[in-house]
Amino acid sequence: MSISYEGIGAWCATFAADAGAEEGKVVKLAADGSVSKCGANDLICGVAAAMGRDGKACSVQLGGLARVSYSGENAPTVGWNTLAADGNGGVCVVTSGGRSYLAVEVDTAAKTATIML
């Protein structure tokens, strides 16, 4: 039996997609009702789950468990981590300025972590 966290507790909302929003990447609020790509050390609001055909709207996962990529010297650990956007669509461990996220799975080979949004 394999373990999967995919889709557990996931809930999404539709936003207008501004500059650089990309499916599978973390996003931030850009303005009323719109999201954009996160810059380095930005706080994330969720993960772009699906992009509209025209690229002008996207479904953003705002809650539940989501798999995200990570970068940086320190990998997240299973348990509570302070994370912020890494500027490349993923997250990184930070010592200040981020938010606390629960990581339930970390794959150091794939450089991904499953976190509770």
Side-chain angles (χ1 to χ4, degrees), residues 102-113:
L102 177 64
V104 298
E105 178 181 63
V106 177
D107 183 338
T108 55
K111 295 198 80 135
T112 61

Side-chain angles (χ1 to χ4, degrees), residues 41-107:
N41 297 315
D42 282 344
L43 296 177
I44 67 172
C45 77
V47 178
M51 298 297 294
R53 289 183 187 174
D54 62 4
K56 294 182 181 179
C58 66
S59 176
V60 177
Q61 183 179 345
L62 299 169
L65 295 174
R67 182 175 291 131
V68 294
S69 63
Y70 71 83
S71 64
E73 288 183 27
N74 300 315
T77 58
V78 171
W80 293 97
N81 297 268
T82 304
L83 304 174
D86 66 4
N88 296 310
V91 298
C92 60
V93 175
V94 294
T95 56
S96 65
R99 286 197 184 129
S100 187
Y101 293 91
L102 177 64
V104 298
E105 178 181 63
V106 177
D107 183 338

Side-chain angles (χ1 to χ4, degrees), residues 9-18 21-31 33-38 43-52 56-66 117:
W11 59 277
C12 299
T14 301
F15 290 86
D18 285 352
E22 192 177 330
E23 193 170 312
K25 308 290 184 175
V26 297
V27 294
K28 65 179 179 179
L29 289 172
S34 67
V35 293
S36 65
K37 177 183 177 178
C38 288
L43 296 177
I44 67 172
C45 77
V47 178
M51 298 297 294
K56 294 182 181 179
C58 66
S59 176
V60 177
Q61 183 179 345
L62 299 169
L65 295 174
L117 295 171

